[in-house]
Amino acid sequence: MKRGGAQHEESIIGASLVAATLGLSVPAMALEVTPYGAIRVATWWTSSTYYNPAGDPLHDADFTLDLQGDSYVGMRVKEGDFSALAELGAYNPKNRSAGVELRMLFGEWNFGNGKLRVGYAPSPYVYRSEMIYDADGGFNGYASLFDGRYAQIKLSMNNGFYLALMRQENVGLAGIGATNSPTTNAGNGYINTPFNMTSTTYMAGYTDFDTFMPKTVLGYEGKAGIVTYGGGVAGNYYKIRTVAGNVQTGKDEIYSYLGFAHAKIDLAPFEIKVAGHTAQNLGNLMNNAAAAAGSFYSNNPATGKNAYTYGGWGQLGYTLNNKVKMFTGVAYESNEMRGRTSDDRMAAFANLQYAVTKNFNIVPEFAFLNEMRSAAGTKQERIYATGIKWEMKF
């Protein structure tokens, strides 16, 4: 990482600490400031099986000890009906050069009948399991709908309904390159022109995206007795056009939608959590790096165009006492398209969460990830992992 980037990150952290100090030390501001955080290190032993094009197995075994990418420090600030949250996270061990991550930054106004949020936060359809492998992955990419964080405007009513308008993401599609995808920032003007999704400079070969609306999520969260539940729908739409050798080579429209539902049943000392979803072109809607390749729209006429996804996961938890909790769960997702093999994947885990003290937890876990077969019908990786998360929080 360049020194200038490090200085910038230090400046951000320093400014945050100064702001927190001022909030705590100047009563005249009438601010309530609450700092919090969690530092997490993971030790994992993994045994993986990969396959070459002929289907021959290739084996790999590794031990890793690293900081989890979901380690963070943050603070909550409140003044009357207004509040804010700022959270900085550690670098992702898979992408160290990216440096410190802005995890969340938003303000909320409680206007009596509900709340209005403006800022940067996870998608409202995120619902996680207790699986810890891959930085508290929670079945991420294996029927979990976690897709990162987005700039958004979210209205949440006290009756449980909410509406979120989110920054739209778009990607290329099979057969049409994504050389100007704002996701990759490859060869476009998006980096320096945040309100123009693709470059306005003509090139002999490029990909152009036309966007018309934000990604929109409408949902509901409620509770009935021992059941806490939620669900909703999400939608996304954009056009894509490609040029090669100064000639237009393709154009298409991509419609994506998602229907999702989840619930938690409190049967103390047991608890049950379930989640399910169905979608069209899920990869284009969420732009999730962990999304299955088979969940993206394709313009190949031999295999149709729209990809259809369904999946879900279930988890059983048991609280032994105030120090020990146990969880186990399984997830499955299938991505289908006319004229090709379905792209399926599944995962399972079992762990024990032990509170050594109020601020120190250790979580040993066994996990299994199975990519099964790709849309081309070839075998994909299988991973066995056993490890421990070491967590200090405040």
Side-chain angles (χ1 to χ4, degrees):
M1 181 184 298
K2 295 182 180 179
R3 181 57 185 166
Q7 290 175 338
H8 179 65
E9 293 159 11
E10 291 168 3
S11 298
I12 293 175
I13 296 173
S16 300
L17 292 175
V18 169
T21 302
L22 289 173
L24 290 169
S25 61
V26 185
M29 289 184 178
L31 293 178
E32 302 174 25
V33 180
T34 306
Y36 65 93
I39 310 302
R40 296 158 173 155
V41 166
T43 51
W44 285 102
W45 294 263
T46 58
S47 175
S48 307
T49 301
Y50 302 87
Y51 298 89
N52 64 19
D56 301 320
L58 306 171
H59 302 289
D60 178 62
D62 294 289
F63 170 77
T64 58
L65 188 159
D66 213 334
L67 183 70
Q68 286 196 177
D70 64 339
S71 298
Y72 58 83
V73 292
M75 61 179 176
R76 298 180 180 89
V77 182
K78 188 176 187 302
E79 182 181 21
D81 295 331
F82 291 86
S83 61
L85 184 147
E87 191 174 289
L88 290 175
Y91 59 79
N92 184 334
K94 300 175 184 177
N95 186 23
R96 294 177 186 273
S97 63
V100 176
E101 175 190 17
L102 177 64
R103 289 173 55 88
M104 286 190 284
L105 180 64
F106 62 82
E108 279 190 336
W109 171 36
N110 187 336
F111 55 86
N113 292 324
K115 293 181 179 180
L116 177 65
R117 172 184 294 182
V118 176
Y120 181 78
S123 303
Y125 43 70
V126 171
Y127 195 70
R128 311 295 295 280
S129 79
E130 296 290 334
M131 182 180 182
I132 66 167
Y133 179 69
D134 198 15
D136 293 311
F139 289 136
N140 184 19
Y142 296 82
S144 168
L145 293 175
F146 179 76
D147 63 342
R149 299 164 181 86
Y150 297 86
Q152 60 186 262
I153 301 171
K154 182 182 179 184
L155 175 65
S156 301
M157 303 303 296
N158 292 342
N159 60 11
F161 287 98
Y162 64 83
L163 171 67
L165 306 178
M166 307 175 67
R167 174 193 162 181
Q168 185 188 67
E169 290 285 7
N170 51 40
V171 295
L173 48 128
I176 291 183
T179 55
N180 274 13
S181 168
T183 301
T184 60
N185 286 327
N188 61 36
Y190 179 70
I191 298 175
N192 298 316
T193 56
F195 299 106
N196 186 8
M197 295 299 283
T198 47
S199 176
T200 56
T201 302
Y202 182 83
M203 292 174 285
Y206 68 98
T207 304
D208 172 64
F209 296 89
D210 293 329
T211 54
F212 307 92
M213 55 176 284
K215 180 165 66 173
T216 304
V217 187
L218 176 64
Y220 177 82
E221 296 287 338
K223 184 174 182 180
I226 61 174
V227 181
T228 304
Y229 60 93
V233 293
N236 196 28
Y237 165 68
Y238 59 91
K239 293 182 179 181
I240 185 171
R241 179 171 59 94
T242 57
V243 171
N246 295 314
V247 177
Q248 180 171 300
T249 56
K251 63 178 181 178
D252 226 319
E253 300 182 4
I254 301 179
Y255 299 86
S256 305
Y257 66 76
L258 165 69
F260 60 95
H262 51 254
K264 177 181 176 180
I265 306 172
D266 186 357
L267 300 169
F270 291 94
E271 70 172 49
I272 298 172
K273 291 179 75 173
V274 294
H277 63 270
T278 183
Q280 174 178 290
N281 304 324
L282 181 64
N284 302 93
L285 173 86
M286 299 192 347
N287 188 30
N288 183 356
S295 65
F296 291 86
Y297 181 99
S298 170
N299 72 327
N300 186 339
T303 56
K305 293 190 175 183
N306 294 316
Y308 298 97
T309 299
Y310 63 87
W313 59 265
Q315 173 184 286
L316 175 65
Y318 176 70
T319 300
L320 181 63
N321 51 47
N322 61 354
K323 282 186 170 290
V324 178
K325 295 181 179 180
M326 293 175 282
F327 295 92
T328 185
V330 63
Y332 175 80
E333 183 178 276
S334 180
N335 300 276
E336 301 177 349
M337 184 178 287
R338 175 172 55 85
R340 73 173 191 194
T341 304
S342 63
D343 185 358
D344 300 338
R345 47 175 49 180
M346 63 84 60
F349 80 96
N351 66 35
L352 183 149
Q353 301 184 7
Y354 176 55
V356 180
T357 70
K358 176 184 176 182
N359 300 96
F360 178 40
N361 297 331
I362 59 173
V363 185
E365 177 177 280
F366 173 79
F368 173 60
L369 308 178
N370 187 350
E371 291 285 330
M372 303 175 77
R373 291 184 179 271
S374 70
T378 58
K379 290 183 180 180
Q380 297 190 105
E381 63 267 24
R382 291 157 174 75
I383 301 173
Y384 296 89
T386 183
I388 301 175
K389 177 179 74 171
W390 312 79
E391 175 185 62
M392 292 187 180
K393 58 185 179 180
F394 58 91

